[in-house]
Amino acid sequence: AVVSTQSGHYGRGDKLRLYLSYQIGLENHVMSIQLIRPLKIRSPADAHIECSAKYDLLDGAHVEYGASKQLTEYSRLAALVRIGHISGVKLKLTLSRGSHSYRFDVIFSDVIEPAAVLYGTFLPVFVYSALHWLVINPYLNRLKVSLVTCYLKSDVSDKMFC
């Protein structure tokens, strides 16, 4: 038998969301608090940062923080750093595309170390920025130029095939 509940509180103007939850079971009890701040880049669901603190009897206490970004209409990328005295420092990378989700767990350390926390925090930001500026932006610029040249070269009837 498991008893669980979750309550949410929305801040002023939906700028900050706070969730409190607990779960009581026969083997494990879980309490958590989660704080989410949407970043309105293009739309409210485009990106958000989150921070949470959880305590359960099996894994002990841990803190999680991370970010999530909507890449396209159907894909989302998330990176979450988990720091706990039993679990150590872990990085959870999640790519969701349509109904499929791909999750990669990277264990930086079995104990809490400042270097592992720094690597877990800044490595995903650095890799995403490098890929964005070295691969994604040049590809999108080339695609835009090819679409414009195709549109300018074709006549009115062929413009829907560019």
Side-chain angles (χ1 to χ4, degrees):
V2 175
V3 176
S4 68
T5 186
Q6 180 175 354
S7 65
H9 173 71
Y10 293 90
R12 232 175 48 213
D14 289 335
K15 291 184 180 178
L16 202 58
R17 290 180 278 188
L18 178 69
Y19 294 102
L20 303 168
S21 66
Y22 66 89
Q23 179 179 353
I24 299 172
L26 295 176
E27 296 179 5
N28 196 11
H29 304 311
V30 180
M31 294 183 300
S32 70
I33 183 169
Q34 184 178 24
L35 187 66
I36 299 175
R37 167 108 166 83
L39 302 173
K40 294 185 181 180
I41 298 172
R42 286 181 292 229
S43 67
D46 192 30
H48 69 269
I49 55 176
E50 65 181 76
C51 180
S52 67
K54 295 181 183 176
Y55 177 77
D56 62 34
L57 295 177
L58 296 178
D59 288 336
H62 58 268
V63 176
E64 294 180 341
Y65 59 91
S68 177
K69 178 154 179 28
Q70 188 83 28
L71 298 175
T72 63
E73 183 180 358
Y74 299 109
S75 62
R76 175 172 283 280
L77 181 66
L80 192 69
V81 178
R82 180 178 180 173
I83 302 169
H85 69 280
I86 293 177
S87 61
V89 181
K90 294 181 180 179
L91 173 65
K92 293 190 266 185
L93 299 170
T94 306
L95 175 65
S96 300
R97 175 77 180 143
S99 62
H100 300 284
S101 290
Y102 305 99
R103 183 173 157 186
F104 305 99
D105 291 337
V106 180
I107 300 172
F108 285 109
S109 177
D110 290 334
V111 295
I112 300 173
E113 294 178 359
V117 173
L118 287 175
Y119 284 132
T121 302
F122 293 113
L123 185 65
V125 174
F126 177 73
V127 169
Y128 176 77
S129 298
L131 284 174
H132 191 64
W133 289 106
L134 296 174
V135 177
I136 297 170
N137 279 348
Y139 174 75
L140 292 177
N141 288 338
R142 275 187 274 135
L143 187 64
K144 187 188 294 184
V145 167
S146 68
L147 284 174
V148 168
T149 56
C150 178
Y151 188 76
L152 291 175
K153 288 181 181 178
S154 64
D155 60 355
V156 176
S157 63
D158 291 339
K159 288 188 180 185
M160 62 184 246
F161 296 111
C162 287

